[in-house]
Amino acid sequence: MLRRYALIAALIVVGLTTVQAQADRRVALVIGNSQYHEIPALKNPDKDAEDVSNTFRLAGFDVFVAKDLTKLQFEKEFRNYLAAADGADLAIVYYSGHGFQIGGENFLIPVDASLKAAADIEVQAVKLDDVLQQLRAKSKIQVIILDACRNNPFPRKDYWLRDQLIAAGGTGLAQVKSSLNTLIAFATEPGAVAYDGSGDLSPFSSAFSRRALAPNQEIRSVMAAVRRDVVETTKGAQVPWENSSLIDEVVLMRRASRPALPPVLEKTVPSGVGPVALDLPVPVDVDGGAVTISIERPPALGRLMLDGKPIATGQPIEGKDLPRLQMDVPKGADAEDQVDMLAYATHDEWGGGSQGILVFRVKNGDGTAGKQLVASLESEQKQQVVERGIHIAGAAEAIENHDVNVPVGVGPVPLKLDLPTKDPAVSVKLASYPATGTLSLPDRTLSPQSSLTADEVDKLRYEPQIGTVQPLIVGVEIRADNTPSKPATMKLSPSVDPCDQKAGEPLDLQGVVPGLLPNEIGAGAVDACQAAVKAYPDVARFHYELGRALLAAGKVDEAKKAIQKAADQGHVRAVFELGYLNATGTGMSANRKQANTFYAAASDKGDPYGMTSWGRALFNGYGVDRDTGKGLDLLLKAAAMGHTYAMNDLAAIFTEGRNGVPADPARAVAFLKAGVERQDMYSMNLLGRNYLAGTGVEKDPKAALSLFQKSMDLGQPYAPGSLARMYRDGVGVQQDLAEAQRLFELATDRGDQSAAYDRAALEMQRGDKADQAVAARYLAFAAALDLRNEIPDAKATLAKFGAKAKTAALKQMRGELKSKISADGSLDDQLVKTARAVWEQANPRRDLF
């Protein structure tokens, strides 16, 4: 009978319970730039960032917070944030610092910006539209909040914007057209100035942090309240503004729809013995607030008591008092057992609620049997208190000093805490939240104030923040009604998978590491990535990195399959790589048009490599109708993301002036310096040539020498040849033909066809002492490495050599080969083919971009 009654009660509760949604992925990047190097510092952005980041953390966001970012630091932080935002339901960027507009384009200003030259805006500032486009490619809903509408503090007023010099706006930011499901909020109206304010926080940030904490408020209501506060604070001098195209509701501070409560409990209550404790557990508010209780259906056989006073229907009591609730069944109840029910409701501070039911059997407490019943119930109650204390101690022991290895970039990882109790009275409150990353359950993301019931603890998950591998401490407090609580801590140790360490790629916006160039992928990468793919078959990144490792190992067919698998699973860099394979004919026939299809697809998803290759194709008309404007724009966007190859392409365009884009060597140098700052060895070699020739900068052979040397040390193929010419000609150094010879040969080994040609020329300059076979050898290398036919004289000069010298050179090179090569064709053809085979056998560096 009692079980049947409990089943009916359970069905009643299920009908009243709200079904919870899956936990959304929500990420926020909060930046505060105060300490500017070249312009006046701002008082509040650092503090604004700290306050706003705490607000988002309380709301359950994965929060990336950064202060006083240089341009390079911004690129790094933004890439990590974008990797976390990949597939997110909501992505937010909050920026406090300097910003201004040029030609209707808004720019955020890193702390190291000087903006003294016209090209500096392109390499020193951050274009807001680039940020927004990246967010659109990554997330379902985008929100950008800008407390950056201050006066332009830079003396220069005109800057390059694509192919035109444009005057900068004097004040404020320009209005931005938002795409679907985007909100862009400004601290003040377009063209107006926002203020730091007189307190520790700006008026806008202060109002935002306060209003955003309002639970279950849609963001447009939040921003309206922020506007009212700022207008009042600044006496109308500052009016916050936003553009919105949201079609979905955005709630920053979500609160659960119900406190956690066991829905149906059972109890035996004796009659005629006075008030009896019902031992109802304290309801757990998962968001950490206070809970009140109201009696919805009182028992029919007795009355409810609290501290000796009766409780009426609907009368609120505090949730913490629920364990002390008693029931008094008067003497004289029927001798037969009777079943009764108590229904009560919980209410949290934010309008959420849940229902609980106690089904109990009333038994006569008179006589010997009644006394035995009372004694048994008292014994059970004492035993329950003892057991509850044991449960709490056991739970603390299970959590204390628990060290969990948590891989980065594989989604939420179960912590497997395995609490030794499911007692509904036991709950776990977060006492210290991890500094980065997010704790979650399958149905919700937890905030620093959250609590869990005992049966939820084994579902607890943690997702570490990308870019962070420092160990983290999580503190909890284990509680149960009026039993003394116990604290416990556990350690979370984020770790990067060996596959990422051995084969991760630079600028991969779905990656988790700075990455390696293809030539830097070494032994063990294939095994590590095969293990990662086996462990995480649904993580597309590992399939792609396996493809990279296989390519580096020369297993092209296997690599293609892994890369295609990654692309099918949504890895954008893998889509680019398919384009590269088609463009170069790696493992297939070269197909430029098909390559462009892949490049365009990767570009549309914001991949810097894709933007560079597709931009290059459009600008030059490679396999597609030329579109100079779009091509230039894509190259600029890729450069803004830190892709140095785009910077080098732009430097070539601006050095020479191409396709209607005017030459501006100083603009070219700005991009080369930006590449050097990012340690790009190709930029170093190119900038060294500019210093050597005085192109866009004053001549400085010493600077050229230093750049060539550093570039060569990093493995750049052409830097040894650049340095060799300085020693050959005695420019900036004392002439040293022996050193020039060594460097030309090193460059040839790395694949520099011009260096091979110059090495042959150096040999011939010795006149009668020249070794004709050596000269023929290097002319053959020059022709073999000249895939773009940039040195037609190499073959022509080789043809003039006698058969004796060429035969000697051919014999020597064939002796260096480990496998035989066919002797088809003319002597010159055999020389060139053999030289190519010797070079490929040496396994030179592979640079795939």
Side-chain angles (χ1 to χ4, degrees), residues 381-428:
Q381 187 175 18
K382 291 179 181 178
Q383 181 64 27
Q384 187 179 52
V385 171
V386 172
E387 289 178 354
R388 195 156 284 163
I390 294 173
H391 290 164
I392 291 177
E397 185 177 349
I399 293 175
E400 184 65 39
N401 299 323
H402 200 68
D403 191 346
V404 187
N405 178 58
V406 190
V408 176
V410 300
V413 178
L415 299 184
K416 300 179 181 178
L417 294 178
D418 193 22
L419 224 59
T421 179
K422 302 298 181 188
D423 187 339
V426 175
S427 65
V428 176

Side-chain angles (χ1 to χ4, degrees), residues 165-443:
L165 278 170
I166 306 290
T171 58
L173 297 178
Q175 187 168 346
V176 179
K177 292 182 180 179
S178 57
S179 62
L180 194 62
N181 240 5
T182 298
L183 182 141
I184 304 172
F186 301 88
T188 192
E189 59 194 310
V193 175
Y195 301 97
D196 257 3
S198 57
D200 286 340
L201 303 174
S202 74
F204 180 78
S205 291
S206 175
F208 177 80
S209 290
R210 183 172 60 253
R211 294 296 185 178
L213 289 172
N216 300 325
Q217 293 293 304
E218 210 278 331
I219 193 169
R220 283 162 287 196
S221 297
V222 170
M223 298 313 300
V226 170
R227 183 159 39 249
R228 288 193 296 271
D229 289 354
V230 174
V231 169
E232 181 179 351
T233 300
T234 63
K235 295 180 170 54
Q238 181 175 333
V239 182
W241 193 271
E242 65 263 1
N243 298 337
S244 174
S245 62
L246 293 176
I247 58 174
D248 293 319
E249 281 199 342
V250 174
V251 176
L252 299 178
M253 183 63 74
R254 290 181 173 174
R255 292 301 183 184
S257 61
R258 59 177 179 84
L261 188 71
V264 180
L265 296 171
E266 300 174 14
K267 178 76 176 179
T268 298
V269 177
S271 64
V273 297
V276 176
L278 296 179
D279 295 323
L280 292 171
V282 174
V284 177
D285 182 5
V286 297
D287 292 315
V291 178
T292 58
I293 304 294
S294 63
I295 304 303
E296 302 296 306
R297 182 190 184 282
L301 299 177
R303 60 177 181 166
L304 297 174
M305 309 287 290
L306 182 63
D307 297 333
K309 297 178 182 179
I311 301 297
T313 302
Q315 178 182 340
I317 63 175
E318 293 186 33
K320 65 182 179 62
D321 293 332
L322 192 59
R324 295 190 291 110
L325 192 64
Q326 296 176 312
M327 183 173 170
D328 184 11
V329 180
K331 187 176 182 180
D334 293 341
E336 293 293 330
D337 291 353
Q338 297 183 70
V339 176
D340 202 350
M341 184 176 77
L342 162 67
Y344 57 101
T346 64
H347 311 276
D348 64 20
E349 296 175 332
W350 304 285
S354 59
Q355 293 76 36
I357 289 178
L358 172 64
V359 177
F360 51 88
R361 185 194 302 273
V362 175
K363 288 192 174 185
N364 194 331
D366 287 338
T368 303
K371 290 179 180 179
Q372 290 176 347
L373 172 64
V374 172
S376 175
L377 291 174
E378 288 178 347
S379 176
E380 286 179 12
Q381 187 175 18
K382 291 179 181 178
Q383 181 64 27
Q384 187 179 52
V385 171
V386 172
E387 289 178 354
R388 195 156 284 163
I390 294 173
H391 290 164
I392 291 177
E397 185 177 349
I399 293 175
E400 184 65 39
N401 299 323
H402 200 68
D403 191 346
V404 187
N405 178 58
V406 190
V408 176
V410 300
V413 178
L415 299 184
K416 300 179 181 178
L417 294 178
D418 193 22
L419 224 59
T421 179
K422 302 298 181 188
D423 187 339
V426 175
S427 65
V428 176
K429 179 176 176 57
L430 295 177
S432 62
Y433 201 86
T436 58
T438 53
L439 290 168
S440 67
L441 296 172
D443 66 341

Side-chain angles (χ1 to χ4, degrees), residues 815-834:
E816 296 171 20
L817 287 175
K818 296 178 182 179
S819 56
K820 293 183 178 180
I821 189 170
S822 65
D824 299 334
S826 67
L827 187 57
D828 286 7
D829 290 342
Q830 291 182 51
L831 266 173
V832 172
K833 183 167 59 174
T834 305

